[in-house]
Amino acid sequence: RLFVRETQTQRHVQLENGEAMFDVAQDPKRPFVVTAGNQEIMALGTSFVIRRDAQHLVVTLMEGRVSVTSVAPGTAAAGGKEPASQTTMLAPGQRLTFAQRVAPRLDEPPLEKVTAWRRGEVVLDKTRLQDAVTEMNRYSAVKLRLTDRRVEDIPVSGIFRAGDSVRFARVVGETYR
């Protein structure tokens, strides 16, 4: 879910939740800014992916440059009195992950995995079964649920068709019976 607002001086997107890939043409007179939670991502002629859910905000740069500015709650930009922010410039291939109560993490994931959803795939690489179920549920009307907490940490790897939760459940069940 996102909202788009264009003016004479800015192109602005507010990402409420979900995942989006942006291919942005550079226009110094009309910067392209995405706001997601307390983060502002400014594109500087680039291609990037932003994913936002209840627990995480992830910005992955495919090519070009982006700046990611964290604005702390209660600051001037967020409605408070004192400005306080931190800006990170990403290089192509870098991913910046924000999670609640954890310091931001910078890494370099395989870009094919980051964009798998565009090909209708879910790529799992030693992913906790609970997290794999959550990921599969993003793409399917059929919602999976683990009923035994003892299996939550089983590592799952593979490439699955997004939305095919039934086949995913069968494969995992046959593999770990």
Side-chain angles (χ1 to χ4, degrees):
R1 181 176 175 167
L2 57 82
F3 302 95
V4 178
R5 186 179 70 237
E6 290 193 55
T7 67
Q8 299 269 341
T9 58
Q10 187 180 63
R11 298 168 290 168
H12 184 261
V13 174
Q14 181 175 346
L15 180 64
E16 291 291 320
N17 61 41
E19 188 164 17
M21 182 169 181
F22 300 95
D23 290 312
V24 181
Q26 189 171 9
D27 183 353
K29 294 179 182 175
R30 291 181 59 221
F32 186 90
V33 177
V34 178
T35 303
N38 291 331
Q39 309 302 318
E40 268 192 6
I41 299 91
M42 173 146 337
L44 306 166
T46 188
S47 178
F48 62 102
V49 175
I50 301 177
R51 179 173 174 169
R52 182 176 185 204
D53 60 33
Q55 290 79 34
H56 303 91
L57 173 68
V58 182
V59 180
T60 307
L61 181 60
M62 309 301 284
E63 61 183 54
R65 294 184 318 151
V66 295
S67 67
V68 181
T69 303
S70 299
V71 180
T75 64
K81 298 180 184 200
E82 293 293 321
S85 64
Q86 179 179 355
T87 299
T88 303
M89 294 294 291
L90 295 184
Q94 290 184 322
R95 171 175 64 187
L96 185 57
T97 302
F98 299 90
Q100 296 173 353
R101 297 181 288 274
V102 177
R105 185 182 50 151
L106 187 65
D107 66 347
E108 294 187 25
L111 295 181
E112 302 80 36
K113 183 177 176 185
V114 172
T115 58
W117 59 275
R118 296 187 70 202
R119 298 184 304 276
E121 298 174 341
V122 175
V123 178
L124 305 172
D125 183 20
K126 299 176 188 160
T127 305
R128 289 180 63 241
L129 180 56
Q130 180 60 59
D131 296 334
V133 165
T134 299
E135 186 66 14
M136 291 302 294
N137 284 345
R138 289 183 69 214
Y139 303 101
S140 178
V142 176
K143 301 301 180 195
L144 301 173
R145 185 171 57 96
L146 295 178
T147 58
D148 186 345
R149 296 193 62 130
R150 295 175 295 175
V151 301
E152 290 179 351
D153 292 327
I154 291 174
V156 177
S157 295
I159 300 173
F160 301 91
R161 176 76 25 217
D164 195 355
S165 293
V166 172
R167 181 160 168 70
F168 168 81
R170 270 196 209 116
V171 168
V172 171
E174 289 171 8
T175 303
Y176 292 102
R177 47 174 140 162

